[in-house]
Every structure is written in structure tokens, then in C-alpha cells.
Amino acid sequence: ELLPPALNSAICWKLFYFNETQSAGNLLDLNLLRIFRDYTPELSIVNLSMVKYSTNSTFNNKSNYNNFGSYLTGLIEGDGAIIVPKTDRSLKGKLNYPCINLVFNLRDFPLGQLIQKELGTGSLSRMKGINAYLLQINSLEGILKLIKLLNGKMRTSKINSLYNLIDWLNYKHSDLNIIKKPMDSSSIDSNAWLSGFIEAEGHFSVRTTSTIKYSKVECKFELSQRQIDHNGNNNLNFLEIVANFLLSSVKSIRIEKPKPEYRVRTTSLNGNLNLENYLNLFPLFGSKYLDYKDWIKVLDYFKSGTFKHKNNIQEIIIIKSNMNNARINFTWDHLNKFYNLD
């Protein structure tokens, strides 16, 4: 069944306004339109009760839990935030409290819903001014659940934000004694962290150039990050680990801009095959999964060495024309394979 991305105008939405007297970190800066509380999954274009988890999963419940935690950690380290208040109250006297935020592209609303459902906590809201949804966890129970999932699985400098959150909780709640676990140093292909990070920051690229005398086809994967994060930490180390796995290297780009970036891009068939093997074991679940499956169709031509054949180039052009921002049809059957924690 084909589903349009995000909201279906044929569905009547019951809107709930958020009028609490508390504020979560810099919540006011997020300019939220609406907050849909934990009952959001019942008000959606994807009926999550119809999601049938695969019985052929290669993971048991413990593996599902660990890989869900790694996937979620990669997602947060790629496109999320851990916000810890610096003062007990705002200038307006509102009580400040910490929160953990995940941001989803508009088209990935069903994924945001499913993650909210699995967590059993959080508020999912449309963000004002950008094509995105925000899943925010700010209850004590929810934050403790997230810490348990993230602790020991982080691979970037965002671990310092997690440590700040743990320090804040241990100070505010004397009955807690949360131990700060070290950064995950396991092999990058040993868990689902990279798939979560790709979900947030990855891009599957197909390029074609055709002239009378010359034809060129490229099938590459890339991801980019700011060189220096907002806390002044350099992102080079973990990107070098990703680059080594993809048999590539880290390049500096946009160096003339105020916020230069690092980019990792596959440059060989073997690098692409490493990524394919990994994502077959630890799959994507957002709309980017659909781009990945189309990308694999193109990669198959490279495997067989037939990507330069005239007819195949035309097929590749057709595949490319429906990828990434050009995609208008979305299917969500792959959510059946999501990590089931029950």
C-alpha cells in the first residue's frame, strides 16, 4: 500500500495545546506548533497496531534491545540533542528540566511514531518553519529509560552531554547512582549504531552523465558533519572510523564557510559492498531505506560490470529520478522488521 509522507489531509486531527508551566531546556527556541502526547500513535496515517513484527528475525529479545539502543544512539548522535538546564528556573520563573530530543524529516513521521511506541514515552510534534517532527522525552521515567539505552553505546563527543545529564540526575535525585559508561569502542559494524547515524546523516547518491561520446555513472554513499560541534569538539575521530570501514577517507569541505565540514564518501565497489553487507544485517527503517533499496539496484549493475551499457544507463536514470527528494511514493512494510522490545 502506498502512503504519502507525513500527514494525510483526509484525516481529522484533534489538536492538543501544551500549556504547562514548565520548560524543557531551551524548549521555547524550538517554536513548536503542537504537542501530541503519548496517545499520538492512534492519530496517524500508519496504524501501528497493524505492524506485524517479523517472526524470522535473527535477533533474540536481548539482541533486539541492544540493537535498538545502538540504533537510537546513532540517531540521536546524528540528529538529536541532550539538553540539560543550567539553572533551576527560567527568567520567567518556569521550572527547567532536562530533555532528550530526536528530529525526524517530515516524511519519516511513521518512524517517529514507531520509536515513540517502542519507548512508551515522549511527545511527538510538528516543528514550526521546517519540514520536521520532534520527538521529545522529558519525563523522569522516560529520561531514565533513554539513559539505560544510550549509556555505553555512544561514539561521538555528544557523550559529554549524556554525562552532564547523568551528573544532573545524580545531584537532583540522591537515590540515583547512575554510572557513566565509557564510549563504545567496539567495531563499527558490530551493532546498529551506524544504521541509526546513517538514518540521520547519510545520503545515497546516484549520478549520471551522458553525451554522444561519453557516459559516466556513479553509485556512492556519503555523509557529512560539521568539523567542530557547538561545544568546540572535533568530529574527525569517529568519522575516520566510519571512513576506514568504507575503505575511504575523510575530506574537508566547505572550508571557506563559517562552519566547515568533513565528508566521508565511498570511492570503490568494495566500500559499497561493505555498506551493503552491514545494512543487510542492521537495516534502515525510515524513508531512507527506500533510497537504499533503489541504490542497491544501481549497485547491482556495478557488481556485474554492466553499468556502462546504454540500456542499463537508461534504467539507472529512471531509478535515480525517483530517489531522495524526488520520491513521491512511500511504502512502510519494512517497519515490520523494526526492533520489537516485547
Side-chain angles (χ1 to χ4, degrees):
E1 181 181 0
L2 298 180
L3 295 172
L7 299 179
N8 185 332
S9 60
I11 293 178
C12 295
W13 288 79
K14 184 177 180 181
L15 301 180
F16 298 87
Y17 292 85
F18 185 60
N19 294 316
E20 298 291 337
T21 58
Q22 295 178 319
S23 60
N26 58 351
L27 177 62
L28 295 179
D29 293 336
L30 296 174
N31 295 317
L32 304 183
L33 282 178
R34 301 287 188 269
I35 297 291
F36 299 100
R37 285 298 180 188
D38 291 341
Y39 38 69
T40 305
E42 282 70 44
L43 302 173
S44 66
I45 62 168
V46 177
N47 186 347
L48 296 184
S49 66
M50 299 298 291
V51 173
K52 304 297 183 182
Y53 293 102
S54 173
T55 58
N56 297 320
S57 174
T58 57
F59 302 115
N60 56 34
N61 284 346
K62 183 177 180 180
S63 294
N64 270 333
Y65 182 86
N66 288 334
N67 280 307
F68 176 64
S70 295
Y71 173 85
L72 195 65
T73 303
L75 200 59
I76 290 173
E77 293 199 85
D79 210 356
I82 300 173
I83 301 172
V84 182
K86 295 181 179 179
T87 60
D88 288 339
R89 292 186 178 274
S90 69
L91 294 177
K92 294 184 178 181
K94 295 181 179 180
L95 188 63
N96 290 326
Y97 54 89
C99 63
I100 299 176
N101 296 336
L102 292 89
V103 178
F104 300 90
N105 187 282
L106 199 67
R107 65 183 67 188
D108 287 325
F109 180 59
L111 175 62
Q113 286 185 293
L114 189 53
I115 290 176
Q116 182 193 34
K117 176 179 179 290
E118 288 299 328
L119 290 174
T121 187
S123 302
L124 189 60
S125 61
R126 173 73 183 271
M127 299 179 71
K128 186 177 180 179
I130 59 175
N131 293 327
Y133 284 95
L134 174 74
L135 176 58
Q136 183 175 84
I137 295 89
N138 52 37
S139 68
L140 177 60
E141 179 184 3
I143 286 178
L144 290 176
K145 181 180 291 187
L146 262 292
I147 288 177
K148 186 176 180 181
L149 284 164
L150 306 181
N151 202 6
K153 297 182 177 68
M154 303 195 82
R155 294 178 180 267
T156 76
S157 60
K158 201 168 284 187
I159 194 172
N160 295 316
S161 297
L162 178 66
Y163 286 169
N164 289 339
L165 175 59
I166 292 174
D167 287 340
W168 189 93
L169 288 169
N170 285 339
Y171 175 76
K172 291 290 184 179
H173 302 273
S174 58
D175 57 324
L176 294 177
N177 184 26
I178 305 172
I179 304 300
K180 291 182 282 189
K181 296 182 180 180
M183 191 174 288
D184 186 1
S185 59
S186 64
S187 175
I188 196 71
D189 61 345
S190 65
N191 58 46
W193 182 90
L194 183 57
S195 65
F197 193 80
I198 289 173
E199 204 86 74
E201 301 291 349
H203 178 73
F204 296 95
S205 172
V206 174
R207 298 179 181 179
T208 56
T209 302
S210 295
T211 64
I212 296 177
K213 296 182 179 180
Y214 176 78
S215 294
K216 183 177 181 180
V217 180
E218 294 181 334
C219 181
K220 296 183 177 182
F221 165 80
E222 64 182 59
L223 58 83
S224 58
Q225 283 278 286
R226 287 171 51 177
Q227 291 189 6
I228 307 298
D229 68 18
H230 67 283
N231 288 319
N233 299 302
N234 197 306
N235 283 319
L236 180 61
N237 288 343
F238 85 91
L239 287 173
E240 286 184 329
I241 294 173
V242 175
N244 288 337
F245 171 64
L246 297 176
L247 307 179
S248 184
S249 60
V250 180
K251 301 292 184 182
S252 293
I253 61 173
R254 301 183 180 181
I255 55 177
E256 74 285 353
K257 301 293 183 180
K259 298 177 181 178
E261 298 180 358
Y262 292 124
R263 183 183 66 200
V264 176
R265 175 186 286 172
T266 55
T267 57
S268 67
L269 175 60
N270 286 336
N272 284 339
L273 293 179
N274 280 356
L275 182 61
E276 179 188 17
N277 292 334
Y278 171 80
L279 289 177
N280 284 341
L281 185 59
F282 302 106
L284 302 169
F285 294 103
S287 59
K288 202 162 289 182
Y289 170 84
L290 305 177
D291 296 323
Y292 165 70
K293 296 303 289 185
D294 283 340
W295 184 81
I296 287 297
K297 294 176 184 177
V298 177
L299 184 61
D300 285 341
Y301 289 115
F302 281 79
K303 292 179 187 178
S304 63
T306 60
F307 61 93
K308 292 184 178 180
H309 294 185
K310 184 176 180 180
N311 290 340
N312 291 344
I313 290 177
Q314 292 305 311
E315 288 295 323
I316 291 172
I317 291 174
I318 293 173
I319 293 171
K320 173 190 173 184
S321 68
N322 292 296
M323 289 179 62
N324 300 313
N325 290 336
R327 183 176 302 280
I328 58 174
N329 294 322
F330 296 79
T331 59
W332 295 99
D333 292 344
H334 56 282
L335 289 182
N336 292 328
K337 299 179 181 179
F338 196 71
Y339 304 111
N340 182 12
L341 303 186
D342 295 334

